[in-house]
Amino acid sequence: TFPCCGDWNLTWHTENPDFTPCFQNTVLVWIPCIYLWVCFPVYFLYLRCHDRGYIQMSNLNKAKTALGLILWIVCWADLFYSFWERSQNIFQAPFFLVRPTVLGITMLLATFLIQYERIKGVQSSGVMTIFWLISLLCAVVVFRSKIINKGDVSVDAFRYATFCIYFILLLVQLILCCFPERPPLFSETVNDPNPCPEFSASFLSRITFWWITGLMVQGYRRPLEAKDLWSLNKEDKSEEIVPEAEALIIKPSQKSSEASLFKVLYKTFGPYFLMSFLFKAAHDLLMFAGPEILKLLINFVNNKAAPNWQGYFYTGLLFVCACLQTLILHQYFHICFVTGMRLKTAIVGVIYRKALVITNSARKTSTVGEIVNLMSVDAQRFMDLATYINMIWSAPLQVILALYLLWQNLGPSVLAGVAVMILLVPINAVMAMKTKTYQVAQMKSKDNRIKLMNEILNGIKVLKLYAWELAFREKVLEIRQKELKVLKKSAYLAAMATFTWVCAPFLVALSTFAVYVTIDKNNVLDAQKAFVSLALFNILRFPLNMLPMVISSIVEASVSLKRLRVFLSHEELDPDSIIRGPITDGEFLFLKQAELCTLYFSINFTVPEGSLVAVVGQVGCGKSSLLSALLGEMDKKEGYVVVKGSVAYVPQQAWVQNATLEDNIIFGREMNESRYKRVIEACALLPDIEILPTGDKTEIGEKGVNLSGGQKQRVSLARAVYCNADVYLFDDPLSAVDAHVGKHIFEKVIGPKGILKNKTRVLVTHAINYLPQMDTILVMSDGEISEMGSYQELLKQDGAFAEFLRTYANAEQSVENSGKQLSNSSTYSRDTGKTQHQSSTAELQKPLAEKNSWKLTEADTAKTGRVKATVYWDYMKAIGLFISFLSIFLFMCNHIASLASNYWLSLWTDDPVINGTQQYTNVRLGVYGALGISQGIAVFGYSMVVSIGGIFASRHLHLNLLHNVLRSPMSFFERTPSGNLVNRFSKEIDTIDSTIPPIIKMFMGSTFNVIGACIIILLATPIAAVIIPPLGLVYLFVQRFYVATSRQLKRLESVSRSPVYSHFNETLLGVSVIRAFEEQKRFIKQNDVKVDENQKAYYPSIVANRWLAVRLEYVGNCIVLFAALFAVIARNKLSAGLVGLSVSYSLQITAYLNWLVRMSSELETNIVAVERVKEYAEMEKEAEWSIEQTAPASTWPKEGKVEFRGYGLRYREDLDLVLKNINVTINGGEKIGIVGRTGAGKSSLTLGLFRINEAAEGEIIIDGINIAKIGLHDLRFKITIIPQDPILFSGSLRMNLDPFDQHSDEDIWRSLELAHLKNFVSSLPDKLNHECAEGGENLSVGQRQLVCLARALLRKSKILVLDEATAAVDLETDKLIQSTIKSQFEECTVLTIAHRLNTIMDYTRVLVLDRGEVVECGSPDHLLQEKGIFYSMAKDSGLV
C-alpha cells in the first residue's frame, strides 16, 4: 500500500516535488467539496431573498447542466468500478470508495445550484466560478503527478481514463462559467435605453471591474456627456432608498430616542454593508502574507543548498497573494462607496421631505443656507464615514497581528517600539480634537462670510447705487481675517500631525532595533529580522495613522448626525390646524380666536361661500399673517380654523420657479388648452408672452430674473386662477402691477364679474378704489379686526375706516385707479430695465432671444480637457516662488535621508558575524539614528512651509476674487446666476483653503516614494532596468486613460449637483405656495429625479476609481514579481540584505502607486478651483472707483443743476440705443417727474445718471462737471436714490442706514423721525441695534421702504432720484413719503419716475419719454392743454 500522507522527502527536499497519492486522493478532493458545502446554505438563503427574475433556458445553461450531470456520472462510474473490484476480491484503500461518492454528490449539488441560480436570475455566479477554479487547480496537481509517475506505478487504466474525462469536463465548465447568462425576463434592463452593464457582466469582469472599460474608452476618445452615462441600478434609486429610511426616521423622532438616526442607517444599509466585513477581514489576513513570504525568501537566498524551484514557488506565491489582496480590497471599497452613495441619497431625500412639512417658526431657526449645508456638507460626511467605519475593528486587528508576528521575530524588544506607538496615539488624538474645534470655528466664520456674500450679491445693485462696496468689502475681509487665523492654527497642527505620521514608523523601528542589539551582545540583526520587521512596521503604520482620522471622521459624522437630528425633529405643521371640509349653512371659512405666534390675534369671522372679502389696514398690522393662518402656516394657540375645499394662494412676493412660463402657470395640473388661454388672457399675460423669445415655452431663470416684478406677480396670479380651487387667498397681488393692468385683472379675475365670481375670495389690498365692489371689508389694526362689514355699512359706522377713507376723499377722484401705474414691468431687481424696452421695438426680439439664451447657458460650465500648466504656475505665484521651491527642496532632503537610512540598514545587516556578535554595532546604530532625525526635521520643515504657503495663497486669491467681483459692472451680475458666484466664494475658496495644501503634500510624498522604491530595486538588481520602463509606460497609459474619463465624470457630477441645491433653495423659498396648492408629492418626485441624475454621474466615477486601482495594483504586483524573480535568479551574487531591501520596498510600491494616481487626479480636479477663481479676475471691470486727478470738490454739487447733452445709452454692444439724443437742462432745486409708457426708458435715465451703464454718446453734466470723467464713488456718493426694491442687509438697523459710521446717533434718529419710523424703532428692544434678518425679512415691505427713505434723508445730497418707490406702500404711507420729500428736499433737485400721476401733478416740470426720446417737456398744466401723450395718460388715470 501507500506511504503515509506527508512525506517531506518526496514533496519538499527534492528537485522535482510531488504529493503522495494518499494526499492527492483525500485532501485535494475534499478542498473543493468542503468549499461548496460551506457556501451552500448561506448562498441559498441569499438567493431566496434576492430574486432578480427568471432567466429562460439557453444553450449555455443547458450545456452547463449537462456537463454537471456527466461529471456526476463520471464520478459514480469510479464508485461502481470500485464495487466491481470488490466483487473481484481486489481490495483497494477505502478512499477509493469515499472519494467518488463525495465528489458525485458535490457535482449534483453544483448542477442543482446552476439551475437554482437560473430561476433566481443570477447572470454570472461567483460562487460557482470559484468552485470550478478550485476543483481544476486540485485536478491539475493530480494530473501532473499522474503524468510524471506514468512509468512507475502499474497503471489503473479505467481510473486513468475517467480522470482524464473529469479533468477535461472541469476545464470546459470553468470556461463556460466565464460567460454571463442572458438578462432575466421582466427585468428593468429590458426597457432601459442605457442599462448599467454591471449585473449582466460575468463574474471575472465584475471582480476586475472590466465592465466599465467601454465607458472609459468612450471617455478617452471624446469628452463624456450626460447621455453617455448608464441609468442607476434599481437599488440605488431614490424611490427605493428614501421611503425605507424615511419610514424609520420620521416615526421614532417623536420619542426622539438618542441613537434613532444611527439605528435607521444601520437597518437600511446594514445587511449589504456586512459583506464588506468579510472582505476587509480577508484582506487584512492576506496583508501579513507578504512579510511572511519575504522571510522565507530571505532564508532561501541565505541557504545555498535549497533547490531553485522553491524560490520560484515563493515568488509565485507572493504574486498570487498580492493579486488576491488587490481584488478583495477593491470589492470592499466598492461596497463601501456604494453604501456611502445610498446614504447620501437617503439623507438628501429625507431632508427635502422634511423641509416641506416643517413649521415656519422652525424654519426661521435655520437659514436657507444652513439647510442647504445639511444637504451638501453633512451628507458628504456620511459618505466619507462609510469608507472608514470598518477601520474601527480592522485597525486594532491589524495592530495585534503585526505585534504578534514582530514578537516572534524580535522577542520582547518589540515592546520598545510599541511603547513609542502608544505614546504617539494620545498626541494624535489631542491633535484630532484640536483640529475639530478649529474646524467648528472655521465653519462658523465661513457660514457668516457666505451669508454676507449672499446678501451682497442679492443686493449688489443697491450697493452700487449707494457706493457702499468698500464698507461691505471691509466687513467680508474682517470675517475672512478671523477665518485665516483659525486656518493658520490648524496649519501648525497639520504640520505636527504630518511630522508624527511620517516619523512614527521610523522612530518605532529605531527604538526596537536599538533595544534589540543593546540588550544582548549575541542578538544579531540579520537581514531576515531587520527587513521582515520593517515590512511589518510599514503595515503597522497604516492602521495607526488611520485611527485618528477614523476617530475624527466619526466625530464629524456624529456632529452632522446631531445637526440632522435637530433638523429632522423640528416641529412639523399640524395638518389638523385647519379643518378642510364642508360645513353646513353654506358658510365657509372661520377663524375663531386663533392666537398666532408673533401676532396675537383674537379673531372671529365667517365668510359666506362665494363672497369677495377685502382686508385693509396699515402697514404691518397683520394682514398677511391672517392669510398665513388660513393656510395653516401659523401656530394655532386656540380656537379653530375651517376652510372648505381646496385653496389657491397668491403670495405678496411672487414666487416663480426655474421652469418654463407654461409650467409655472400649470403647476403640475393637466393641461387644458381653452382654460389655459382664458387664464392667460384674464391675467393680462398675452402681451408679455408675445415679447418673450420663445413665448410661453421660455425658460424663466432662478427667482424669475428675466421677468419684471409685475410679470412675476401676474404669473403667480395665473397659477392660482388656473388651478381652479374653491377658496382664493390673494395677498396684495395688485401692488406690483400698473393701474390699468390692475383694473383689467380686477375686472377679469377677482371682481364680481371675473373668472372667479362664484368662488370665495379673500383679497388683501391697499387700493381703495376697488373697495365699493367688495361684499365684505375687514379693517385690521394691530392684529385685531377693528371693523367689518360692507362698504356702505362701514361708512355709516363712521369709525376708523371712514376716517381712513375721508383722508383720501379729496383725492378720491385722483385715486380712481390708484394712480396710473405705467409700466407693466416694475423693473425688478436684477433685470435693471432689461424688460422695459421689450415692447418698444420689434427689432429687440432678436437680442432678447440672446438675452434669454444667456440666462440658461451661463449655468456652471463644465470645462473640458486637461488643466493647463499655467494654473499650477498661478498657484505657485500665489504662494510665493521662494516658498514653493523651498518646499520642493525640503521634500528632496527628506526622501534622500529616508533612502539612505534604509540602505545603511541593509549594509548593517550584511556585517559578518564573528563569535556570535557583530562589530561596529554602535556606529551603525548612531548613523541610522542621525539619518532618521534629519528626515524628521525635513518633514516638519516642508509641512510647515506648504501649510503656511497655502494660507498665503488663499488669502491672496480670496482678496483678488472679492475685489474683482465687487468691481464688476452690473451687467455681469445680471448674466451670472448668484448661485455660481456664491459657489465660487464657498466651495472653491474652501477647496483652496483646506483641500489643496494637504493634497500637495501627499502628492509630492507619493511621487518621491515611488521614485525612491524604483531606485532601490535598480540598485539591488540592475537587470530590473529592462522591466521598470515598460511597466512605467503601462502605468502612464492607464493613468492618462483614466484621468480623461474621471475628470469629465467629476465635472458632470458637479454640474448635475447644482440643480439639486438650486431646486432645494427654490422649494424652501416657495414652500408656503407648494403647501397651499398641495403639490408636495410632485416636488418630492422632482427632487428624487435630480438626485438620481447626480448619482448617475457619481456612480461611474466610483467604479472608474476602482477600475484604475485594480489596473495599477497589477502594475505594482508585477514590480513585486520581478523584484523577487530577479533576486531569485541572481541569488548567488546578492547579499541577503539587498534582497530584503529591494523586496520590502517593492511590497510598498503598490500602495504608493495607488496613492500617486489618486492624488494626481485629486490635485487635478481640485486645482480647477484656482482656475475658476482666477476666471473672474479677467472679467471686464467698471470704471475706477475714485480718480485722484479729477476728484470734484467736497462741496460739489452746490446747486444740483443736471444737464443732458445729446445723451444716448445702450445696454450691450449689440443692442440698439435705449435712449437717444436727450437734451434737457434741469436747474437746481427743480422737481421733475419722468413719465412714459412701459419700455420708454425711464429707468434707463437713472441708470445713466449713476453710470450703472456708461453713456453710448453725449454726456451728462452736473454743476459744470462731466460725470463720465470722475470716479464712480465720487459720483454715486453725491446723488441719492430711493430704489424700487427696498433691500436691507442683515446687520443692525444702524449699519443699514450708515455703513461707514459717518453720522452721529442724533442724525440717525432725526432721519428716522422724518421717515416716520421713530415710533417703530424706539419700540424695539435694541433700538438702533435691532438685528435685521436676511433681506430684511423681519420688517414689512412698507417699513423697508421707509428705511430706504431714512437713508436718503441721512445722506441729504443735492440730487435725489425716486424710482417709483410707492408701489408697495399703502396710500397713507405714500402720503407721508411725498410730504417728507416736499418738506425735506425743498432746495434739492428731485427726479421722480412716476407711476401714480397724482404724485407729480404739482411738480415744476414733467418729462414725457417715448421710445427713448423726450417727446414732451413742460409743466403739468401746460402739457395737459397740449393734448399730447401726457394728456392721454392722465385721461387713463381719470385725472382729467
Side-chain angles (χ1 to χ4, degrees), residues 355-398:
L356 284 175
V357 292
I358 185 176
T359 58
N360 276 352
S361 52
R363 230 197 81 208
K364 290 286 182 296
T365 56
S366 36
T367 61
V368 174
E370 278 172 11
I371 301 178
V372 174
N373 250 355
L374 276 181
M375 233 173 180
S376 54
V377 182
D378 296 326
Q380 194 58 46
R381 294 256 172 88
F382 279 102
M383 269 172 105
D384 298 342
L385 183 67
T387 45
Y388 284 142
I389 189 99
N390 273 328
M391 289 304 291
I392 285 239
W393 59 267
S394 158
L397 174 75
Q398 289 179 25

Short mmCIF file of all heavy atoms in Angstrom, two decimals, residues 355-398:
data_model
loop_
_atom_site.label_atom_id
_atom_site.label_comp_id
_atom_site.label_asym_id
_atom_site.label_seq_id
_atom_site.Cartn_x
_atom_site.Cartn_y
_atom_site.Cartn_z
N ALA A 355 -38.24 69.31 4.84
CA ALA A 355 -38.33 70.76 4.62
C ALA A 355 -39.72 71.16 4.15
O ALA A 355 -40.15 72.29 4.35
CB ALA A 355 -37.29 71.20 3.60
N LEU A 356 -40.45 70.22 3.55
CA LEU A 356 -41.77 70.58 3.05
C LEU A 356 -42.82 70.59 4.15
O LEU A 356 -43.90 71.12 3.96
CB LEU A 356 -42.20 69.60 1.96
CG LEU A 356 -41.53 69.79 0.59
CD1 LEU A 356 -41.95 68.69 -0.35
CD2 LEU A 356 -41.90 71.13 0.01
N VAL A 357 -42.52 69.98 5.30
CA VAL A 357 -43.57 69.91 6.33
C VAL A 357 -43.21 70.68 7.59
O VAL A 357 -43.96 70.68 8.55
CB VAL A 357 -43.87 68.44 6.73
CG1 VAL A 357 -44.52 67.71 5.58
CG2 VAL A 357 -42.62 67.74 7.17
N ILE A 358 -42.07 71.36 7.58
CA ILE A 358 -41.59 71.99 8.81
C ILE A 358 -42.34 73.31 9.03
O ILE A 358 -42.72 73.97 8.06
CB ILE A 358 -40.08 72.19 8.63
CG1 ILE A 358 -39.41 72.73 9.84
CG2 ILE A 358 -39.79 73.06 7.47
CD1 ILE A 358 -37.92 72.80 9.59
N THR A 359 -42.56 73.69 10.26
CA THR A 359 -43.32 74.94 10.50
C THR A 359 -42.46 76.15 10.18
O THR A 359 -41.25 76.07 10.16
CB THR A 359 -43.72 75.08 11.98
OG1 THR A 359 -42.53 75.06 12.75
CG2 THR A 359 -44.62 73.97 12.42
N ASN A 360 -43.16 77.28 9.98
CA ASN A 360 -42.40 78.47 9.62
C ASN A 360 -41.49 78.92 10.74
O ASN A 360 -40.37 79.36 10.51
CB ASN A 360 -43.35 79.61 9.27
CG ASN A 360 -43.77 79.50 7.82
OD1 ASN A 360 -43.23 78.66 7.09
ND2 ASN A 360 -44.71 80.30 7.39
N SER A 361 -41.97 78.81 11.97
CA SER A 361 -41.13 79.28 13.09
C SER A 361 -39.88 78.41 13.17
O SER A 361 -38.79 78.91 13.43
CB SER A 361 -41.91 79.22 14.40
OG SER A 361 -42.44 77.92 14.55
N ALA A 362 -40.04 77.11 12.91
CA ALA A 362 -38.88 76.24 12.95
C ALA A 362 -37.95 76.55 11.79
O ALA A 362 -36.75 76.48 11.92
CB ALA A 362 -39.31 74.78 12.88
N ARG A 363 -38.54 76.95 10.66
CA ARG A 363 -37.68 77.25 9.51
C ARG A 363 -36.85 78.49 9.78
O ARG A 363 -35.74 78.62 9.29
CB ARG A 363 -38.53 77.46 8.26
CG ARG A 363 -38.03 76.65 7.10
CD ARG A 363 -38.57 77.14 5.79
NE ARG A 363 -37.83 78.28 5.33
CZ ARG A 363 -38.34 79.21 4.55
NH1 ARG A 363 -39.60 79.13 4.20
NH2 ARG A 363 -37.62 80.21 4.14
N LYS A 364 -37.41 79.40 10.56
CA LYS A 364 -36.66 80.62 10.88
C LYS A 364 -35.39 80.29 11.66
O LYS A 364 -34.41 81.00 11.59
CB LYS A 364 -37.52 81.60 11.68
CG LYS A 364 -38.65 82.24 10.89
CD LYS A 364 -38.12 83.31 9.94
CE LYS A 364 -39.25 84.00 9.18
NZ LYS A 364 -40.02 83.12 8.29
N THR A 365 -35.44 79.19 12.46
CA THR A 365 -34.26 78.91 13.30
C THR A 365 -33.06 78.51 12.46
O THR A 365 -31.94 78.70 12.87
CB THR A 365 -34.55 77.77 14.30
OG1 THR A 365 -34.97 76.63 13.54
CG2 THR A 365 -35.61 78.16 15.28
N SER A 366 -33.30 77.92 11.28
CA SER A 366 -32.14 77.62 10.45
C SER A 366 -32.32 78.32 9.12
O SER A 366 -33.37 78.21 8.50
CB SER A 366 -32.01 76.11 10.23
OG SER A 366 -33.27 75.52 10.11
N THR A 367 -31.31 79.07 8.70
CA THR A 367 -31.44 79.82 7.46
C THR A 367 -31.40 78.84 6.29
O THR A 367 -31.00 77.70 6.44
CB THR A 367 -30.26 80.79 7.26
OG1 THR A 367 -29.06 80.01 7.21
CG2 THR A 367 -30.17 81.77 8.38
N VAL A 368 -31.81 79.36 5.14
CA VAL A 368 -31.80 78.54 3.93
C VAL A 368 -30.40 77.95 3.73
O VAL A 368 -30.24 76.78 3.44
CB VAL A 368 -32.18 79.40 2.72
CG1 VAL A 368 -32.03 78.62 1.45
CG2 VAL A 368 -33.61 79.90 2.86
N GLY A 369 -29.40 78.80 3.95
CA GLY A 369 -28.01 78.35 3.75
C GLY A 369 -27.68 77.15 4.61
O GLY A 369 -27.05 76.20 4.17
N GLU A 370 -28.13 77.19 5.87
CA GLU A 370 -27.79 76.10 6.78
C GLU A 370 -28.45 74.80 6.33
O GLU A 370 -27.83 73.74 6.41
CB GLU A 370 -28.25 76.44 8.21
CG GLU A 370 -27.26 77.34 8.93
CD GLU A 370 -27.81 77.83 10.25
OE1 GLU A 370 -28.86 77.32 10.69
OE2 GLU A 370 -27.21 78.73 10.83
N ILE A 371 -29.68 74.91 5.86
CA ILE A 371 -30.37 73.69 5.45
C ILE A 371 -29.69 73.12 4.21
O ILE A 371 -29.48 71.91 4.09
CB ILE A 371 -31.86 73.97 5.18
CG1 ILE A 371 -32.51 74.52 6.45
CG2 ILE A 371 -32.57 72.71 4.77
CD1 ILE A 371 -33.95 74.89 6.29
N VAL A 372 -29.29 74.01 3.29
CA VAL A 372 -28.60 73.53 2.10
C VAL A 372 -27.28 72.87 2.51
O VAL A 372 -26.86 71.87 1.96
CB VAL A 372 -28.36 74.68 1.11
CG1 VAL A 372 -27.50 74.21 -0.05
CG2 VAL A 372 -29.68 75.18 0.57
N ASN A 373 -26.63 73.44 3.54
CA ASN A 373 -25.41 72.86 4.08
C ASN A 373 -25.64 71.45 4.59
O ASN A 373 -24.81 70.57 4.40
CB ASN A 373 -24.89 73.69 5.25
CG ASN A 373 -23.63 74.40 4.84
OD1 ASN A 373 -23.14 74.18 3.74
ND2 ASN A 373 -23.11 75.23 5.69
N LEU A 374 -26.77 71.24 5.27
CA LEU A 374 -27.08 69.90 5.75
C LEU A 374 -27.06 68.95 4.58
O LEU A 374 -26.57 67.83 4.66
CB LEU A 374 -28.51 69.86 6.33
CG LEU A 374 -28.71 70.30 7.77
CD1 LEU A 374 -30.18 70.16 8.12
CD2 LEU A 374 -27.89 69.43 8.69
N MET A 375 -27.62 69.45 3.47
CA MET A 375 -27.73 68.60 2.30
C MET A 375 -26.37 68.32 1.68
O MET A 375 -26.10 67.24 1.22
CB MET A 375 -28.57 69.33 1.27
CG MET A 375 -29.68 68.49 0.79
SD MET A 375 -30.69 69.49 -0.24
CE MET A 375 -31.90 68.31 -0.67
N SER A 376 -25.52 69.37 1.62
CA SER A 376 -24.26 69.16 0.91
C SER A 376 -23.18 68.64 1.84
O SER A 376 -22.65 67.56 1.66
CB SER A 376 -23.81 70.46 0.27
OG SER A 376 -23.75 71.48 1.23
N VAL A 377 -22.88 69.41 2.90
CA VAL A 377 -21.72 69.07 3.73
C VAL A 377 -21.98 67.83 4.56
O VAL A 377 -21.19 66.89 4.55
CB VAL A 377 -21.38 70.25 4.66
CG1 VAL A 377 -20.16 69.92 5.47
CG2 VAL A 377 -21.14 71.49 3.83
N ASP A 378 -23.10 67.82 5.26
CA ASP A 378 -23.30 66.74 6.23
C ASP A 378 -23.54 65.41 5.53
O ASP A 378 -23.06 64.37 5.97
CB ASP A 378 -24.46 67.08 7.17
CG ASP A 378 -24.11 68.30 8.01
OD1 ASP A 378 -22.92 68.45 8.33
OD2 ASP A 378 -24.99 69.11 8.31
N ALA A 379 -24.25 65.46 4.40
CA ALA A 379 -24.46 64.22 3.67
C ALA A 379 -23.11 63.68 3.19
O ALA A 379 -22.85 62.49 3.21
CB ALA A 379 -25.39 64.47 2.48
N GLN A 380 -22.23 64.61 2.82
CA GLN A 380 -20.90 64.23 2.37
C GLN A 380 -20.13 63.54 3.50
O GLN A 380 -19.43 62.56 3.28
CB GLN A 380 -20.15 65.51 1.93
CG GLN A 380 -18.90 65.26 1.15
CD GLN A 380 -19.14 64.46 -0.11
OE1 GLN A 380 -20.06 64.74 -0.85
NE2 GLN A 380 -18.33 63.46 -0.34
N ARG A 381 -20.29 64.06 4.72
CA ARG A 381 -19.60 63.47 5.88
C ARG A 381 -19.98 62.00 6.03
O ARG A 381 -19.13 61.15 6.30
CB ARG A 381 -20.01 64.19 7.17
CG ARG A 381 -19.56 65.61 7.21
CD ARG A 381 -18.37 65.77 8.13
NE ARG A 381 -17.82 67.11 8.01
CZ ARG A 381 -18.25 68.13 8.73
NH1 ARG A 381 -19.22 67.97 9.61
NH2 ARG A 381 -17.71 69.32 8.59
N PHE A 382 -21.26 61.70 5.83
CA PHE A 382 -21.69 60.31 5.97
C PHE A 382 -21.08 59.46 4.87
O PHE A 382 -20.71 58.33 5.10
CB PHE A 382 -23.21 60.22 5.91
CG PHE A 382 -23.83 60.56 7.22
CD1 PHE A 382 -24.41 61.78 7.44
CD2 PHE A 382 -23.80 59.64 8.25
CE1 PHE A 382 -24.96 62.09 8.66
CE2 PHE A 382 -24.35 59.94 9.47
CZ PHE A 382 -24.93 61.17 9.67
N MET A 383 -20.98 60.05 3.68
CA MET A 383 -20.36 59.30 2.60
C MET A 383 -18.93 58.93 2.96
O MET A 383 -18.49 57.82 2.75
CB MET A 383 -20.34 60.15 1.34
CG MET A 383 -21.55 59.95 0.49
SD MET A 383 -21.55 61.13 -0.83
CE MET A 383 -21.10 60.10 -2.18
N ASP A 384 -18.21 59.91 3.52
CA ASP A 384 -16.82 59.65 3.89
C ASP A 384 -16.75 58.60 4.98
O ASP A 384 -15.87 57.74 4.98
CB ASP A 384 -16.14 60.93 4.38
CG ASP A 384 -16.10 61.97 3.29
OD1 ASP A 384 -16.27 61.58 2.12
OD2 ASP A 384 -15.92 63.16 3.58
N LEU A 385 -17.69 58.69 5.91
CA LEU A 385 -17.65 57.77 7.04
C LEU A 385 -17.80 56.33 6.57
O LEU A 385 -17.13 55.43 7.09
CB LEU A 385 -18.77 58.12 8.02
CG LEU A 385 -18.77 57.25 9.27
CD1 LEU A 385 -17.54 57.56 10.10
CD2 LEU A 385 -20.01 57.47 10.10
N ALA A 386 -18.66 56.11 5.58
CA ALA A 386 -18.93 54.74 5.14
C ALA A 386 -17.64 54.03 4.75
O ALA A 386 -17.48 52.84 4.99
CB ALA A 386 -19.89 54.75 3.96
N THR A 387 -16.67 54.79 4.20
CA THR A 387 -15.44 54.12 3.78
C THR A 387 -14.53 53.84 4.97
O THR A 387 -13.67 52.98 4.91
CB THR A 387 -14.67 54.99 2.79
OG1 THR A 387 -14.66 56.32 3.27
CG2 THR A 387 -15.32 54.96 1.44
N TYR A 388 -14.71 54.60 6.05
CA TYR A 388 -13.78 54.48 7.17
C TYR A 388 -14.27 53.56 8.28
O TYR A 388 -13.48 53.06 9.04
CB TYR A 388 -13.57 55.85 7.82
CG TYR A 388 -12.68 56.75 7.02
CD1 TYR A 388 -12.94 58.11 6.93
CD2 TYR A 388 -11.56 56.24 6.36
CE1 TYR A 388 -12.11 58.94 6.20
CE2 TYR A 388 -10.74 57.07 5.64
CZ TYR A 388 -11.01 58.42 5.55
OH TYR A 388 -10.20 59.23 4.84
N ILE A 389 -15.58 53.40 8.37
CA ILE A 389 -16.13 52.86 9.61
C ILE A 389 -15.56 51.48 9.95
O ILE A 389 -15.36 51.18 11.12
CB ILE A 389 -17.67 52.84 9.54
CG1 ILE A 389 -18.26 52.48 10.90
CG2 ILE A 389 -18.17 51.88 8.51
CD1 ILE A 389 -18.72 53.69 11.64
N ASN A 390 -15.24 50.68 8.93
CA ASN A 390 -14.71 49.35 9.23
C ASN A 390 -13.35 49.39 9.90
O ASN A 390 -12.94 48.43 10.53
CB ASN A 390 -14.60 48.53 7.95
CG ASN A 390 -15.90 47.81 7.65
OD1 ASN A 390 -16.61 47.44 8.57
ND2 ASN A 390 -16.20 47.64 6.40
N MET A 391 -12.64 50.50 9.74
CA MET A 391 -11.32 50.60 10.35
C MET A 391 -11.41 50.51 11.87
O MET A 391 -10.43 50.20 12.52
CB MET A 391 -10.66 51.93 9.98
CG MET A 391 -10.22 52.02 8.54
SD MET A 391 -9.14 50.69 8.05
CE MET A 391 -7.68 51.06 8.97
N ILE A 392 -12.59 50.77 12.41
CA ILE A 392 -12.74 50.73 13.86
C ILE A 392 -12.34 49.37 14.42
O ILE A 392 -11.71 49.28 15.44
CB ILE A 392 -14.20 51.05 14.22
CG1 ILE A 392 -14.39 52.52 14.04
CG2 ILE A 392 -14.56 50.57 15.59
CD1 ILE A 392 -14.81 53.26 15.20
N TRP A 393 -12.75 48.29 13.73
CA TRP A 393 -12.32 46.98 14.23
C TRP A 393 -11.11 46.47 13.47
O TRP A 393 -10.31 45.70 13.97
CB TRP A 393 -13.46 45.97 14.16
CG TRP A 393 -14.00 45.76 12.78
CD1 TRP A 393 -15.04 46.42 12.22
CD2 TRP A 393 -13.51 44.86 11.78
NE1 TRP A 393 -15.24 45.99 10.94
CE2 TRP A 393 -14.31 45.03 10.64
CE3 TRP A 393 -12.48 43.92 11.74
CZ2 TRP A 393 -14.12 44.31 9.46
CZ3 TRP A 393 -12.29 43.20 10.57
CH2 TRP A 393 -13.10 43.40 9.44
N SER A 394 -10.96 46.92 12.22
CA SER A 394 -9.88 46.38 11.40
C SER A 394 -8.52 46.89 11.88
O SER A 394 -7.54 46.14 11.90
CB SER A 394 -10.13 46.78 9.95
OG SER A 394 -8.96 46.73 9.22
N ALA A 395 -8.44 48.15 12.26
CA ALA A 395 -7.14 48.71 12.68
C ALA A 395 -6.60 47.97 13.89
O ALA A 395 -5.45 47.52 13.86
CB ALA A 395 -7.28 50.20 12.93
N PRO A 396 -7.38 47.83 14.97
CA PRO A 396 -6.85 47.07 16.12
C PRO A 396 -6.44 45.65 15.72
O PRO A 396 -5.40 45.16 16.18
CB PRO A 396 -8.01 47.05 17.10
CG PRO A 396 -8.87 48.18 16.73
CD PRO A 396 -8.70 48.39 15.26
N LEU A 397 -7.23 45.01 14.85
CA LEU A 397 -6.91 43.65 14.43
C LEU A 397 -5.54 43.62 13.75
O LEU A 397 -4.68 42.80 14.08
CB LEU A 397 -7.99 43.15 13.45
CG LEU A 397 -7.71 41.78 12.83
CD1 LEU A 397 -7.96 40.69 13.84
CD2 LEU A 397 -8.56 41.55 11.59
N GLN A 398 -5.32 44.57 12.84
CA GLN A 398 -4.04 44.61 12.14
C GLN A 398 -2.90 44.84 13.12
O GLN A 398 -1.84 44.21 13.02
CB GLN A 398 -4.05 45.73 11.09
CG GLN A 398 -4.93 45.45 9.90
CD GLN A 398 -4.94 46.59 8.90
OE1 GLN A 398 -4.00 47.36 8.83
NE2 GLN A 398 -6.00 46.69 8.13
#
